[in-house]
Amino acid sequence: MSDKPLFHFEISERKIFLRLFDTFFVLLALSIVGIIFQFSYFRIDSQYWVWTVVLVVFFNFFATVFELYDLQKASRFDSVLQNVILTTSLTVLFYILTPFITPSLPENRLQILFFFLSIAGILLVWRYAYIALITTPRFYKRVLVVGDSFDIKLIAETLRNSDPNYSVIGFINTEKEYADFDYEGLTRFKVEELSSAVEEYHINEVIVAHAHKRNLILPLYNQLNELLMRGVPIKDYYHVYEETTRRIPVDKVDKDFYRYFPFSRNNANQFYRLSSRIFDIIAAVVGIFFGVSILPFILVGNLLANRGELFYSQERIGKYGKPFTILKFRTMLHDAELAGPQYAQKDDLRITPFGKFLRRSRIDEIPQFLNVLKGEMSMIGPRPERPVFVKELSEAIPFYETRHVIKPGLTGWAQVMANYGTSHTDSLEKLQYDLYYIKHRGLFLDIDILLKTFSTIIFYRGQ
């Protein structure tokens, strides 16, 4: 008999939980400091309510940018420590630099230090308590997987990597010829043991893991229905996979893909498309002005380190498979592709030292704002790929060309969530993220991508 879990939080619930309690404890700490130490710089009352609203907005923005609500990072105190310091620093900096909507600087500058320490201190104490209590196995979601022809290790690892509080306890594989192996702590149950296993191991959710379920025999269906009537959630693996990993398992759904994959209504929503285009134009103009302002520094760096042309152009595939030419700052040696087109690799020797800086900071992509302004690209969408790679990947990966139903993007869901594509496996993972975006694209997902893009730039993760 396993220990009964207290209760569990869904991914979205934990993120809301963290955000609400972060805000609550910050305001609580500032209130207590103000009362005990007669802290006059920041006050929470009806007369100065705007100060509180501005602080909450700044804090939540920078907390998102610095990944305080990334559940993997939120479960490790070393990551929390770094992200809390960064979030607090930028929140306080922007707060004191906006005196028209925030209080004027106090005569005693030590109050700014107290302001910073109050926010950072309470966040570190509360997040340490969260890690020590909420991320323990007592709060894990306990799952049992049912089906045929599935890889239980892969399922367990995928769900665990996406959500640290997801725990696959065991499985029922209905295939008759199925060898027994060591499943590293995972228990294999018989079909007739399903109901008792759910009760004995305090299972929170049953996942049916095969699309066709050919071998889900009638007794098993009856047990699943009985569990459903008892209030036990029964979910399809592909839906769980999509909700948990936020990507589409295109390599698993095969011929059922287009039935399973309804395109986002925003793809045909004229208001959304017009708003996106207006945003693209504004962002492109701002990006071009920014690029012009830093161009002298890039010219000097290119002259000293790259010693060659500043720009290079390359053909890429755009919306509906139409080719177009992108412009980028050159980051590679002149003879980088003497042996023919090839994927960029990690620590690629063809990339110059200055080119590596341009790539990691994403500055090399600034000239693509011209493509955005011309309407060949959007700010957000799948990464535009080269024709030779599109042909190769389309032959190897099912439904690869589906990503061309929308404009390619300067940034995108796959760009901020997946590693740089250096193989067919990486390209498959990026396709799964691209299709998730195409299926769910909308205002809130776009905002999420933009915030994650800021994180990519700030943490110097470009490739």
Side-chain angles (χ1 to χ4, degrees), residues 211-222:
H212 302 292
K213 311 176 190 69
R214 288 183 296 266
N215 293 333
L216 292 185
I217 52 180
L218 184 59
L220 182 54
Y221 270 129
N222 291 336

Side-chain angles (χ1 to χ4, degrees), residues 81-96:
L81 176 62
Q82 171 187 289
N83 295 339
V84 163
I85 298 300
L86 290 171
T87 297
T88 307
S89 299
L90 268 293
T91 299
V92 172
L93 177 63
F94 273 73
Y95 196 77
I96 65 178

Side-chain angles (χ1 to χ4, degrees), residues 210-405:
H210 192 272
H212 302 292
K213 311 176 190 69
R214 288 183 296 266
N215 293 333
L216 292 185
I217 52 180
L218 184 59
L220 182 54
Y221 270 129
N222 291 336
Q223 288 192 72
L224 289 172
N225 188 61
E226 179 187 340
L227 292 174
L228 194 61
M229 297 297 289
R230 285 163 44 188
V232 178
I234 311 293
K235 294 186 178 180
D236 182 86
Y237 171 64
Y238 300 132
H239 293 151
V240 173
Y241 182 97
E242 181 178 336
E243 291 174 0
T244 307
T245 66
R246 303 189 76 182
R247 61 184 199 245
I248 302 293
V250 65
D251 55 324
K252 303 291 194 304
V253 295
D254 197 20
K255 64 183 180 181
D256 295 325
F257 176 70
Y258 289 113
R259 184 179 64 184
Y260 172 79
F261 180 78
F263 291 90
S264 171
R265 286 177 292 181
N266 283 321
N267 290 306
N269 186 309
Q270 295 300 324
F271 179 76
Y272 173 78
R273 293 169 64 181
L274 176 61
S275 301
S276 297
R277 182 58 187 150
I278 292 173
F279 172 74
D280 286 347
I281 293 172
I282 295 173
V285 171
V286 172
I288 290 170
F289 273 110
F290 174 73
V292 171
S293 67
I294 66 172
L295 188 58
F297 303 100
I298 298 175
L299 282 169
V300 172
N302 182 74
L303 181 65
L304 297 177
N306 283 359
R307 299 183 181 181
E309 294 87 357
L310 178 62
F311 298 98
Y312 91 98
S313 60
Q314 195 174 69
E315 188 178 55
R316 297 291 176 95
I317 298 299
K319 187 176 181 180
Y320 302 142
K322 295 179 181 178
F324 70 101
T325 301
I326 66 165
L327 189 67
K328 298 183 71 174
F329 288 126
R330 186 173 61 86
T331 59
M332 288 190 174
L333 302 170
H334 284 287
D335 56 354
E337 293 196 332
L338 286 178
Q342 53 185 294
Y343 291 106
Q345 304 289 328
K346 186 177 181 180
D347 300 323
D348 199 318
L349 297 178
R350 299 173 300 160
I351 301 174
T352 67
F354 184 64
K356 185 175 182 180
F357 162 74
L358 293 178
R359 282 176 172 247
R360 296 293 295 273
S361 62
R362 302 287 290 269
I363 291 176
D364 67 312
E365 297 182 353
I366 286 179
Q368 291 179 61
F369 280 116
L370 291 170
N371 297 107
V372 175
L373 192 61
K374 290 161 62 178
E376 297 167 331
M377 293 177 61
S378 181
M379 280 298 298
I380 300 173
R383 180 178 182 272
E385 194 53 87
R386 299 172 66 177
V388 61
F389 294 145
V390 169
K391 184 177 184 300
E392 178 183 325
L393 293 170
S394 297
E395 294 172 353
I397 300 176
F399 312 108
Y400 182 81
E401 292 191 350
T402 305
R403 66 200 297 274
H404 297 137
V405 301

Side-chain angles (χ1 to χ4, degrees), residues 18-269:
L18 285 172
R19 194 177 292 275
L20 289 177
F21 274 81
D22 281 352
T23 303
F24 169 76
F25 281 119
V26 165
L27 296 180
L28 178 64
L30 290 174
S31 297
I32 293 174
V33 169
I35 294 171
I36 296 177
F37 298 100
Q38 297 182 340
F39 183 71
S40 61
Y41 175 61
F42 179 86
R43 292 193 293 273
I44 301 176
D45 56 38
S46 58
Q47 183 178 357
Y48 301 104
W49 63 270
V50 175
W51 296 357
T52 303
V53 172
V54 173
L55 177 66
V56 170
V57 170
F58 280 154
F59 171 75
N60 277 272
F61 174 79
F62 289 112
T64 303
V65 170
F66 292 113
E67 302 176 330
L68 275 178
Y69 307 114
D70 181 313
L71 295 181
Q72 290 286 353
K73 293 180 173 62
S75 64
R76 303 196 311 271
F77 190 74
D78 57 338
S79 296
V80 169
L81 176 62
Q82 171 187 289
N83 295 339
V84 163
I85 298 300
L86 290 171
T87 297
T88 307
S89 299
L90 268 293
T91 299
V92 172
L93 177 63
F94 273 73
Y95 196 77
I96 65 178
L97 291 178
T98 53
F100 293 107
I101 52 176
T102 58
S104 300
L105 288 175
E107 293 182 4
N108 183 358
R109 296 296 194 260
L110 280 177
Q111 290 206 19
I112 302 298
L113 179 61
F114 291 147
F115 188 52
F116 174 88
L117 292 177
S118 298
I119 297 173
I122 194 64
L123 284 174
L124 291 175
V125 170
W126 137 244
R127 285 302 189 99
Y128 181 83
Y130 168 81
I131 293 171
L133 300 174
I134 305 300
T135 62
T136 62
R138 296 284 283 176
F139 292 91
Y140 284 1
K141 173 181 280 190
R142 303 166 69 85
V143 174
L144 190 147
V145 182
V146 176
D148 65 308
S149 303
F150 61 82
D151 186 337
I152 185 60
K153 284 186 179 179
L154 179 61
I155 290 175
E157 290 172 3
T158 300
L159 297 178
R160 178 66 176 170
N161 289 338
S162 300
D163 180 359
N165 283 28
Y166 222 106
S167 178
V168 177
I169 302 300
F171 66 102
I172 295 175
N173 193 298
T174 58
E175 285 189 320
K176 295 180 179 179
E177 296 181 3
Y178 196 80
D180 286 325
F181 297 100
D182 179 15
Y183 290 100
E184 301 176 358
L186 299 176
T187 304
R188 184 183 180 189
F189 301 102
K190 298 177 181 179
V191 171
E192 56 271 18
E193 295 175 331
L194 174 58
S195 296
S196 60
V198 167
E199 183 175 351
E200 179 179 353
Y201 288 84
H202 308 293
I203 301 298
N204 304 118
E205 184 173 282
V206 176
I207 297 177
V208 180
H210 192 272
H212 302 292
K213 311 176 190 69
R214 288 183 296 266
N215 293 333
L216 292 185
I217 52 180
L218 184 59
L220 182 54
Y221 270 129
N222 291 336
Q223 288 192 72
L224 289 172
N225 188 61
E226 179 187 340
L227 292 174
L228 194 61
M229 297 297 289
R230 285 163 44 188
V232 178
I234 311 293
K235 294 186 178 180
D236 182 86
Y237 171 64
Y238 300 132
H239 293 151
V240 173
Y241 182 97
E242 181 178 336
E243 291 174 0
T244 307
T245 66
R246 303 189 76 182
R247 61 184 199 245
I248 302 293
V250 65
D251 55 324
K252 303 291 194 304
V253 295
D254 197 20
K255 64 183 180 181
D256 295 325
F257 176 70
Y258 289 113
R259 184 179 64 184
Y260 172 79
F261 180 78
F263 291 90
S264 171
R265 286 177 292 181
N266 283 321
N267 290 306
N269 186 309

